[in-house]
């Protein structure tokens, strides 16, 4: 999860990615990408058994990954991994291969998946979904890409009123662009 120093996670990839609330700072994370970040994310993706998305992120990622042919090293993984989607507005069949719509309450469905899946279920983006899972103690680990940037506004990963949580740092690395990749376990 890419976040700024003030906790904003909204629209890290593109200016038009998420303009809810009049957000005008989209694409803020892109200038900070580097080889250290790519290597660390590759290691994390190798441990991923499935991906979990909210509707907005799923629909955005279809456009970014489903038909990509540019040789990006993450393309094969993103297309071939099992994808679970939490949405009350989408319907089966989902257009991106290996995608399954979760039935009913997302947190209940994820609790069931956690009992079945043998490898990690990773979430990229999908802040509303992450917050709902955290409220039910269903997030085991956070990997935060903390960018040396303050935006002053935008949707935050841990907004005002979020339940208190105690996290334990288990790994950290600094990139050449000043991003701190910090991995925390929850609870």
């Amino acid at each position: 999860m890419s976040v700024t120093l003030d906790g904003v996670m909204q629209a890290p990839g593109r200016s038009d990615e998420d303009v809810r609330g009049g957000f005008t700072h989209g694409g803020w994370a892109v200038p900070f990408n580097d080889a250290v970040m790519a290597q660390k994310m590759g290691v994390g993706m190798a441990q991923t058994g499935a991906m979990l998305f909210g509707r907005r992120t799923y629909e955005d990622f279809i456009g970014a990954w489903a038909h990509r042919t540019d040789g990006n090293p993450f393309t094969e993984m993103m297309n071939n991994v099992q994808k679970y989607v939490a949405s009350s507005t989408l319907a089966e069949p989902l257009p991106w291969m290996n995608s399954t719509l979760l039935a009913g309450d997302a947190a209940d469905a994820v609790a069931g998946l956690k009992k079945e899946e043998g490898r990690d279920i990773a979430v990229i983006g999908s802040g509303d979904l992450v917050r709902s899972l955290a409220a039910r103690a269903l997030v085991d680990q956070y990997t935060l890409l903390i960018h040396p940037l303050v935006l002053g506004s935008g949707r935050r990963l841990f907004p005002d009123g979020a339940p208190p949580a105690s996290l334990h740092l288990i790994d950290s690395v600094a990139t050449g662009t000043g991003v701190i990749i910090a991995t925390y376990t929850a609870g």
Side-chain angles (χ1 to χ4, degrees):
M1 184 81 62
S2 289
V3 297
T4 63
L5 286 174
D6 56 342
V8 174
M9 61 169 288
Q10 186 171 0
R14 293 186 329 275
S15 61
D16 65 344
E17 183 178 351
D18 182 356
V19 296
R20 288 179 288 175
F23 189 71
T24 60
H25 305 294
W28 52 265
V30 175
F32 297 95
N33 291 343
D34 73 357
V36 173
M37 187 182 297
Q39 188 276 332
K40 188 74 170 166
M41 295 304 95
V43 169
M45 289 185 143
Q47 298 170 355
T48 299
M51 299 292 296
L52 174 63
F53 296 104
R55 179 198 51 85
R56 290 179 58 84
T57 304
Y58 177 77
E59 290 180 331
D60 191 57
F61 274 43
I62 289 172
W65 296 101
H67 305 291
R68 186 174 251 177
T69 59
D70 63 0
N72 183 300
F74 299 117
T75 301
E76 184 177 345
M77 181 275 184
M78 292 298 294
N79 284 321
N80 292 325
V81 72
Q82 175 62 51
K83 292 166 277 295
Y84 296 106
V85 183
S87 173
S88 60
T89 59
L90 294 178
E92 295 270 6
L94 295 175
W96 196 4
M97 70 173 148
N98 301 320
S99 296
T100 302
L101 184 63
L102 297 177
D105 178 78
D108 289 343
V110 170
L113 287 174
K114 285 183 66 163
K115 292 177 184 172
E116 296 172 16
E117 284 290 331
R119 294 176 63 197
D120 291 344
I121 302 171
V123 180
I124 299 175
S126 304
D128 292 338
L129 176 59
V130 169
R131 285 187 290 277
S132 71
L133 297 175
R136 295 266 305 269
L138 293 170
V139 177
D140 299 320
Q141 181 174 296
Y142 292 92
T143 298
L144 303 180
L145 287 70
I146 306 165
H147 291 68
L149 181 66
V150 174
L151 296 178
S153 67
R155 298 173 72 84
R156 293 176 26 219
L157 178 58
F158 303 108
D160 290 345
S166 178
L167 304 177
H168 305 281
L169 183 67
I170 59 170
D171 186 49
S172 65
V173 64
T175 72
T177 60
V179 174
I180 303 295
I181 302 173
T183 303
Y184 298 92
T185 57

